Amino acid sequence: MIRIFVGALAAGFMLPAGAQHAPHAHGVADLRVAIDGNRLQIELESPLDNLVGFEHAPRDAKQRAALARAEARLRDPGKLFVVPATAGCELKEAAVESPWPQAGKAEHGHDHDHGHDHDGEATHADMHAHYAWECAKPAALKEMGVNLFDAFPRLHQVRVETATPGGQGASVLDKAHRKLEL
Ligand SMILES: [Zn+2]
């Protein structure tokens, strides 16, 4: 049994031999896809800039709305990842981590911004998401469509690491190459 996706997002994944922790680069996101038994898991790590166009605490309603929209899109992986219907996968888990989460904020009536926003300093921020599906026929998981480029036009490249019964691999997707071989 491959133990992955435990603990810190980046540290918990078993990287293919020789792979290094990917640096934060605007326009680029990292995707980790694992098939273990009947479980399909995906982790996405992206600079916030790719998703909303800024990397600081929201300063106005427009930026809060952009964060909320990105969160909502990430919470709906059925639109981001196209898994073969024959695999019979059912979503079991969808979690989004944002440095400035917006979900549920309206009920509080005031902001709880605990982000460390230092104006004038060159800071960066990321958003993480992870998903898990249970699949009736995991053997049918031979490929997967990745629609992140439509949802997030600022995103230009996705670095992918895969861990499947067939082994571990790495590939790069872009707007012209959206199909991931598994
Ligand atoms: Zn950045």
Side-chain angles (χ1 to χ4, degrees), residues 48 51-52 65-75 96 127 152:
L48 195 58
L51 311 178
V52 300
L67 284 166
R69 204 159 46 237
E71 278 177 34
R73 283 183 182 155
L74 290 173
R75 272 196 302 269
V96 179
M127 212 180 257
F152 304 109

Side-chain angles (χ1 to χ4, degrees), residues 15 128 150:
L15 294 167
H128 298 177
D150 294 327

Side-chain angles (χ1 to χ4, degrees), residues 24 26 47 49 55 123-125:
H24 175 109
H26 292 188
D49 183 81
E55 294 190 340
T123 56
H124 291 282

Side-chain angles (χ1 to χ4, degrees), residues 76-97:
D76 190 6
K79 289 192 179 134
L80 303 175
F81 307 105
V82 183
V83 175
T86 49
C89 297
E90 191 183 333
L91 184 67
K92 294 292 181 185
E93 206 180 310
V96 179
E97 285 176 51

